[in-house]
Amino acid sequence: METLALIVLILFSAVTIIALFLIMRLLFPRRLDRIQITVQTQPGRSFWLGLVNTLFASALTLGSLAVGDAFSPFFILSFAISGAFLVGLMMGLGALSQLVGTRLLPAKNAPLQLIWGSTVVILASLTPIIGWFLLFPYLSFRGFGAAILSFFTPQQGSESEG
């Protein structure tokens, strides 16, 4: 019974993550395009920047939680840091899923590419040991680093963001 509940939870979680990536693609198309370009053109730099900033955000969050034991406004700071990290992480993973879908199904439309790309990324990350401890952290660091780089590299073309 517990195995069935776990399978249902995994399927429900996968569907909600795919829906999250789709809504992000609809709401922030230019931002995700910039992140996707950064992921493609600067993979090494994205990975290392994501790794360093993940460690930095983790240290700041844990430090503010430790201090927050005695002074509660630090809890707000830790939630703000965690929230900013998760937004960058989800934007980066959404762009990576779009990239995977584009390479997987080059002739299909963008929503279908995103759905299949997200499905492949989720299923590959669920692979025992290798997916859990190597692939998912790699994709997370690379996506988060690309999200950060997309905010701080100059854009050629228009000045507005969407």
Side-chain angles (χ1 to χ4, degrees):
M1 190 66 177
E2 290 178 15
T3 305
L4 180 63
L6 182 63
I7 291 171
V8 169
L9 177 67
I10 289 171
L11 289 174
F12 183 72
S13 297
V15 169
T16 58
I17 290 171
I18 292 169
L20 174 68
F21 291 161
L22 277 171
I23 196 72
M24 285 186 339
R25 173 57 63 183
L26 294 173
L27 293 176
F28 309 107
R30 285 183 277 170
R31 171 60 52 196
L32 288 176
D33 287 340
R34 285 190 68 191
I35 296 171
Q36 184 177 348
I37 290 168
T38 305
V39 165
Q40 286 177 307
T41 58
Q42 301 177 6
R45 188 173 180 193
S46 296
F47 172 78
W48 290 109
L49 186 67
L51 175 65
V52 167
N53 279 290
T54 298
L55 293 174
F56 182 66
S58 300
L60 278 178
T61 301
L62 292 174
S64 63
L65 280 174
V67 171
D69 191 33
F71 189 53
S72 62
F74 282 101
F75 281 119
I76 296 169
L77 176 63
S78 67
F79 289 128
I81 294 167
S82 298
F85 172 74
L86 288 174
V87 166
L89 180 65
M90 287 297 108
M91 288 268 205
L93 288 174
L96 271 169
S97 295
Q98 182 69 40
L99 175 64
V100 169
T102 302
R103 291 181 178 176
L104 188 65
L105 302 168
K108 299 293 182 183
N109 61 3
L112 194 59
Q113 289 174 342
L114 182 61
I115 290 169
W116 280 103
S118 300
T119 303
V120 168
V121 166
I122 291 167
L123 290 177
S125 296
L126 287 174
T127 304
I129 311 302
I130 293 172
W132 302 338
F133 299 116
L134 295 176
L135 180 65
F136 182 71
Y138 170 74
L139 294 175
S140 298
F141 297 151
R142 188 170 168 190
F144 183 55
I148 292 171
L149 279 174
S150 75
F151 278 103
F152 296 108
T153 54
Q155 178 184 9
Q156 289 128 358
S158 67
E159 294 291 321
S160 64
E161 279 300 316

